[in-house]
Amino acid sequence: MKKPLLVSFLLLTLILGACGGGSLEGEEVSITGALIGTDQDGFRAAFEPFMEETGIVVTYQGSDNFEQEIQIQMESGDTPDFALWPQPGAVVDAANRGMLTPLADLDIDLEQYQTDFSSYLVGLGTVDGVIYGGANAANLKSIVWYQPAEFEARGYSVPATWDEMIALADQIVGDGMNPFCFGMYSNGASGWLATDWMEDIMLRTGNGVDSYDQWVNHEIPFNDPVVKNAATLLSQIMHTEGYVVGGTDAIVSTYFGNAQDPMFSKDANGNPGCFMHRQASFITGFWPEGEKAGAGSVTTVFPFPSIDASLPAAALGGGDMWGAFNDRDATKAVAEYMLSAEFYNNVAIRDSNARLSAHTGFDTSLYAQPINKILGDTIAAALSANSFRFDASDLMPPEVGAGSFWKEMMNLAVEGPGYIDTALDTIENSWP
Amino acid sequence: MREVTQQEKLMSIGISMLALGIFPLIWFLSQALLFRELTDAISRNLLVVFALIIGSSFIFFLFLGMDKIIKLAPKDTRDALEARMFVGPSLFMISLFLFYPAVRTIYISFKDRYSNDFIGFENYKWAFSDPEMIVTIRNQIIWLFFVVFFVLLIGLVVGWLSDRLNKGEAFFKSIVFMPMAISAVGASAIFKFIYEYRPPPLTQIGIINGIRVSVDRGPTLPGIKAGEKCMNNRIIDGEFKDFKNEDCLNPIGWLQQRDLSNLPFAENLNPDNFFSSILVNLPVNTMLLMLIMIWMFTGFAAVVFSAGIKAIPQEIMEAGQIDGASEMRVFRSIVIPYIKSTIIVVGTYMVVTVLKAFDIIYVSTRGDLETNLLAVKMLDEFSKYRNFGRSATVAVLIFVCVLPIIIGTAIREKENTRS
């Protein structure tokens, strides 16, 4: 009984040993992440040329429960080779727990990486000067959606400054219509849209990106005059009579994915429900089926207007970041490929793609959808000028960024401008 | 039967300890150690093969070994030992998968975020001082009280009335029971559509708001029929019609209402008056979410109660009726006492279900706007705020709430078996 078993074990060891040769041919590299659906197909497609060339088999598995699953995998030590997190905070968190391999150990040219993706993006995945996170895709939030045809028909011009936007809004109200679409209900994350507004305003007031960074790192308190000024400007949009379609009730009650629908719904006089909707680039995925094709032409974007003219143009966005769990040779090869400009080629040419490369050297003319070219150029320009900033609420401690900040923005919307001080004080007190 | 000697008694205790304690422990530990050493020593695939072979033979050798040891015991005690041998592993499994996690959760609840340092009762202080936690606990209490009460009440009434039906009782009961067949996730999705809100120019697709916007609040002008001025905005004859009018009611985001302030009849309530201040602050969204659970479980309660009522001997009911008791009196003095234990069982089941209530909140609001419950809060603390200590604390709170019920049930079981 014992002997044949032993022999078969020995044989098995021999066979397995033979497979692991010097070449990377047939090596497997696993990646998990939160991308699902068409995004998952796109991400998988990105590896096709790489797999053909090197013979490394890259498998990507997305899950809408990714963040819980990777926590459990890290606890148990059963990790994939890479994890692609939807925000860099989680990369820092994993690095702090000693789970990730520094990019230097993956033989990445760190200087080249910094020039390609901007020192700001790289800095988001850095812990104590050691770079752990690899930047990947980015999205742009500093945009306002509008329909050029509706603007032209009424003689409205695209506002370049905050004052012009307010003047335009007043004009639209005067014409008996509502200027803004604004809906921020989101199961379990209600209020994040208002935090985005706050961030965009913060980038354009005070000392621009400098005071923004101070705010994110809690070097100035949450109830600082600069922040209060931003909240006051936001409250002007939310609480001025007639500005938001459906009124204040609609702001807290409307699901963010449905928020832009009034723009597409014209009444008997041909007037849309609203004219402007400030929302990130991914909102196109929530539009009614018939409107999706018009993204970039029928319905397109103008940049979030500047507020303080002395500050340089800034862009707010978000993005993915990956971390590696080991330094195998195959892992190194995949990491290098993911940081190359070509990585996104195969993704960009897909019709269904809504994701944008964070690589400043990426050829934006490859994007199949016209809107993505506009957005991609804006992101690349902002990254090169080092004025691209990440969603502040994603960078703040989760008690604030995913807790009190969201919650108090909901309360602010309901309670009105008189609540600004209370809201900011409450958030300041909740900072751990 | 001859007397068991002292020596034999000792021998059997010794052997039972050896057979049911020491031997399984050594056997188990040896396997664990073997695999711990093997994990790093041999390749993964080989390890899987190993684990399959040894894992499948593990139980076999365990019982074989225990049996061999028990065979050494005196004949008279062997039967009892063998019985214990078969109960033993399941007891062990229960303690491994239930008792150990429970103890460890309590242990973690005294530690910080990542379970590094002990922080004493900090997490418990947080649980009873954090405004969000207080709202969560408040909601849990409201849920416990209202859901259990209404499920029992409506269930009893429906069960009693359906028993009075001359025909179609089975049909009626199966209709009431139907929601039970829908999962909580499905039921929440259905109700989400009922409460759905769209910003005004859009067509209201939720039935409540659909009816609401058709209500004409102003004095109906002569010549204009009611329901003509106010209607759900929709495409009529190929043209989108907007029935915007001052007299029409606005739609309401029902799951976003934390109080009654947006409802017209609450406008005249005086918030300084104690009673009306409770009404003004009535958490509408929580109430509407509770409705989902009441809707789901009423049928279950009704069917169970109806079975209990059927078991009441006809003679007692008739005796009551002959004595001139009214229907209400029969219900109160005969039916209720007779099915008391059924009511307690259903009540217990409902209390535990409400304490575990997770899916309704998770699907509908995810705890936003003060609708959270403890079970969802526990997950939020774990995955959203990544605070393991606090998450464990919330889990312990739920456990503590369930504890009296478990003890109560155990006591009742004991009484039942005794009588």
Side-chain angles (χ1 to χ4, degrees):
Chain A
M1 176 69 202
K2 275 264 160 72
K3 262 187 183 162
L5 252 182
L6 202 70
V7 172
S8 62
F9 281 151
L10 280 173
L11 266 173
L12 256 173
T13 344
L14 275 174
I15 295 163
L16 290 170
C19 289
S23 138
L24 295 174
E25 181 83 35
E27 287 263 334
E28 284 181 21
V29 172
S30 58
I31 306 174
T32 58
L35 301 178
I36 49 170
T38 55
D39 289 341
Q40 167 165 294
D41 298 339
F43 195 75
R44 282 180 178 158
F47 288 101
E48 275 162 16
F50 175 74
M51 290 199 279
E52 257 167 47
E53 195 184 315
T54 60
I56 297 175
V57 181
V58 182
T59 51
Y60 170 79
Q61 188 53 54
S63 159
D64 51 6
N65 218 6
F66 162 73
E67 299 204 43
Q68 268 114 304
E69 283 163 14
I70 194 75
Q71 292 283 349
I72 294 161
Q73 286 173 337
M74 288 196 295
E75 288 282 314
S76 65
D78 181 26
T79 49
D81 294 307
F82 289 97
L84 180 70
W85 276 281
Q87 72 291 82
V91 176
V92 172
D93 192 55
N96 272 328
R97 287 160 66 183
M99 295 289 172
L100 299 181
T101 310
L103 291 199
D105 293 355
L106 294 174
D107 303 338
I108 300 291
D109 183 349
L110 295 179
E111 270 178 40
Q112 187 59 41
Y113 172 44
Q114 299 213 355
T115 20
D116 286 347
F117 287 88
S118 89
S119 53
Y120 174 76
L121 264 193
V122 174
L124 293 176
T126 304
V127 177
D128 300 331
V130 185
I131 300 170
Y132 288 94
N136 192 261
N139 59 53
L140 188 62
K141 296 188 167 183
S142 285
I143 44 177
V144 182
W145 294 92
Y146 77 113
Q147 296 191 316
E150 300 294 332
F151 268 51
E152 271 164 36
R154 290 170 183 77
Y156 301 151
S157 56
V158 169
T161 66
W162 181 270
D163 293 335
E164 283 176 29
M165 186 162 81
I166 295 298
L168 173 63
D170 287 334
Q171 191 186 348
I172 294 173
V173 173
D175 291 346
M177 290 170 287
N178 303 109
F180 294 105
C181 274
F182 202 137
M184 60 181 187
Y185 189 75
S186 164
N187 284 1
S190 297
W192 65 262
L193 182 62
T195 69
D196 277 10
W197 270 89
M198 283 284 288
E199 288 151 14
D200 255 330
I201 298 171
M202 282 296 291
L203 274 176
R204 290 165 180 80
T205 53
N207 293 321
V209 289
D210 292 335
S211 50
Y212 184 86
D213 290 342
Q214 287 173 333
W215 178 55
V216 171
N217 300 323
H218 206 225
E219 285 154 15
I220 54 171
F222 215 105
N223 43 14
D224 190 84
V226 184
V227 188
K228 196 189 164 183
N229 176 46
T232 314
L233 290 175
L234 170 61
S235 165
Q236 187 183 6
I237 301 288
M238 291 203 288
H239 298 120
T240 305
E241 186 75 34
Y243 269 18
V244 176
V245 60
T248 314
D249 293 346
I251 299 178
V252 284
S253 302
T254 307
Y255 177 61
F256 76 90
N258 297 129
Q260 200 169 342
D261 292 357
M263 189 184 282
F264 304 122
S265 148
K266 312 269 193 305
D267 68 7
N269 305 322
N271 294 330
C274 75
F275 287 85
M276 293 177 271
H277 183 222
R278 186 229 159 276
Q279 182 55 283
S281 45
F282 58 73
I283 193 65
T284 50
F286 291 90
W287 286 358
E289 266 328 301
E291 303 292 341
K292 284 180 181 169
S297 50
V298 180
T299 312
T300 184
V301 295
F302 61 82
F304 195 87
S306 77
I307 301 174
D308 184 341
S310 64
L311 294 170
L316 179 77
D320 299 346
M321 194 167 257
W322 51 259
F325 289 100
N326 58 50
D327 59 354
R328 294 189 301 141
D329 286 337
T331 312
K332 286 177 186 172
V334 173
E336 196 188 343
Y337 178 65
M338 283 203 284
L339 292 180
S340 68
E342 296 81 47
F343 177 73
Y344 250 83
N345 289 2
N346 251 8
V347 189
I349 55 172
R350 293 166 63 88
D351 284 332
S352 59
N353 172 54
R355 290 163 52 78
L356 307 165
S357 172
H359 196 293
T360 50
F362 183 74
D363 180 4
T364 52
S365 65
L366 287 172
Y367 287 116
Q369 291 183 29
I371 185 74
N372 288 341
K373 188 183 168 352
I374 305 172
L375 301 173
D377 285 336
T378 317
I379 287 180
L383 279 172
S384 309
N386 206 21
S387 63
F388 181 85
R389 282 297 177 270
F390 229 76
D391 193 324
S393 58
D394 284 350
L395 301 173
M396 290 172 179
E399 289 91 339
V400 178
S404 55
F405 195 4
W406 286 347
K407 212 155 283 157
E408 290 305 317
M409 284 298 123
M410 288 296 273
N411 289 341
L412 174 64
V414 175
E415 304 283 339
Y419 188 77
I420 292 174
D421 284 325
T422 324
L424 298 182
D425 290 345
T426 312
I427 302 171
E428 169 64 20
N429 290 334
S430 71
W431 200 290
Chain B
M1 201 178 163
R2 82 187 165 89
E3 198 71 9
V4 182
T5 64
Q6 196 66 22
Q7 197 196 355
E8 276 178 334
K9 231 180 202 169
L10 273 177
M11 176 116 173
S12 98
I13 290 174
I15 285 179
S16 80
M17 272 170 67
L18 191 68
L20 305 174
I22 299 168
F23 169 70
L25 199 70
I26 291 175
W27 177 234
F28 186 78
L29 279 181
S30 68
Q31 302 283 308
L33 283 177
L34 177 70
F35 273 98
R36 201 182 66 176
E37 295 308 314
L38 280 179
T39 307
D40 296 327
I42 60 174
S43 81
R44 208 182 158 81
N45 303 29
L46 202 55
L47 194 70
V48 171
V49 176
F50 240 137
L52 280 177
I53 295 166
I54 295 181
S56 54
S57 60
F58 174 81
I59 295 286
F60 176 73
F61 284 113
L62 180 72
F63 277 101
L64 193 74
M66 291 202 290
D67 191 52
K68 283 259 157 19
I69 297 172
I70 286 170
K71 283 268 158 60
L72 299 174
K75 240 190 176 135
D76 289 340
T77 50
R78 220 176 274 168
D79 277 356
L81 280 180
E82 228 131 57
R84 271 191 241 168
M85 178 179 94
F86 283 103
V87 179
S90 36
L91 270 182
F92 174 75
M93 284 302 189
I94 286 176
S95 51
L96 185 70
F97 290 111
L98 272 176
F99 191 66
Y100 167 71
V103 171
R104 188 161 164 81
T105 306
I106 295 172
Y107 171 74
I108 290 175
S109 73
F110 290 103
K111 293 183 129 193
D112 66 356
R113 263 203 117 94
Y114 293 125
S115 315
N116 291 330
D117 302 310
F118 276 101
I119 51 167
F121 280 91
E122 277 309 307
N123 286 330
Y124 289 89
K125 272 186 210 153
W126 163 82
F128 293 105
S129 62
D130 182 67
E132 211 191 318
M133 264 310 281
I134 290 172
V135 168
T136 308
I137 293 171
R138 179 205 73 176
N139 287 343
Q140 193 72 58
I141 293 169
I142 298 179
W143 272 71
L144 268 179
F145 183 75
F146 280 91
V147 173
V148 177
F149 178 75
F150 279 109
V151 165
L152 291 183
L153 183 76
I154 303 174
L156 260 178
V157 170
V158 172
W160 169 244
L161 291 182
S162 68
D163 191 51
R164 310 260 101 186
L165 282 175
N166 286 333
K167 53 179 179 180
E169 185 190 339
F171 176 74
F172 177 67
K173 274 200 290 196
S174 53
I175 293 281
V176 180
F177 190 71
M178 203 95 83
M180 194 68 192
I182 302 171
S183 72
V185 174
S188 312
I190 294 170
F191 273 82
K192 246 183 116 170
F193 275 113
I194 294 176
Y195 303 143
E196 182 73 33
Y197 168 92
R198 294 285 155 97
L202 301 179
T203 311
Q204 297 301 325
I205 65 162
I207 184 161
I208 299 184
N209 277 329
I211 295 170
R212 201 181 143 79
V213 294
S214 317
V215 173
D216 185 348
R217 201 149 72 116
T220 316
L221 296 168
I224 297 178
K225 273 177 280 168
E228 197 167 87
K229 201 163 54 163
C230 296
M231 267 169 114
N232 202 351
N233 299 341
R234 57 172 176 264
I235 297 169
I236 297 170
D237 300 333
E239 201 176 64
F240 188 84
K241 277 209 80 176
D242 188 352
F243 295 89
K244 203 158 87 180
N245 195 303
E246 295 247 312
D247 288 336
C248 302
L249 287 176
N250 279 323
I252 284 184
W254 292 101
L255 292 180
Q256 288 81 29
Q257 300 304 316
R258 287 176 284 187
D259 47 42
L260 288 173
S261 55
N262 271 333
L263 292 170
F265 72 85
E267 274 167 13
N268 303 323
L269 289 174
N270 177 12
D272 296 327
N273 177 309
F274 174 73
F275 181 67
S276 47
S277 81
I278 293 181
L279 265 184
V280 170
N281 293 318
L282 191 80
V284 178
N285 46 12
T286 297
M287 295 286 167
L288 292 174
L289 291 172
M290 288 191 308
L291 189 66
I292 305 176
M293 197 171 224
I294 296 173
W295 179 74
M296 281 179 65
F297 284 95
T298 300
F300 162 74
V303 168
V304 175
F305 288 147
S306 153
I309 291 167
K310 289 238 181 302
I312 301 174
Q314 206 55 42
E315 300 84 60
I316 302 179
M317 303 272 258
E318 275 165 10
Q321 276 155 358
I322 287 166
D323 284 351
S326 66
E327 195 80 342
M328 196 62 200
R329 185 71 208 222
V330 170
F331 185 67
R332 265 213 333 262
S333 304
I334 300 176
V335 175
I336 299 270
Y338 215 95
I339 59 166
K340 205 180 101 196
S341 65
T342 317
I343 296 177
I344 292 176
V345 169
V346 175
T348 309
Y349 174 76
M350 282 315 299
V351 168
V352 175
T353 312
V354 171
L355 281 170
K356 291 192 302 187
F358 173 84
D359 18 25
I360 293 178
I361 297 294
Y362 192 83
V363 174
S364 55
T365 64
R366 194 68 162 74
D368 270 340
L369 291 157
E370 303 179 359
T371 55
N372 225 350
L373 288 183
L374 287 174
V376 181
K377 181 73 181 159
M378 175 176 77
L379 184 78
D380 278 354
E381 287 298 331
F382 176 73
S383 63
K384 202 162 151 193
Y385 305 132
R386 281 183 238 125
N387 197 325
F388 301 158
R390 286 179 179 179
S391 176
T393 308
V394 180
V396 171
L397 286 185
I398 301 175
F399 180 63
V400 168
C401 294
V402 181
L403 214 52
I405 295 158
I406 297 174
I407 294 168
T409 314
I411 292 171
R412 234 159 19 83
E413 281 297 311
K414 223 171 193 177
E415 277 169 0
N416 281 354
T417 44
R418 232 185 251 146
S419 59

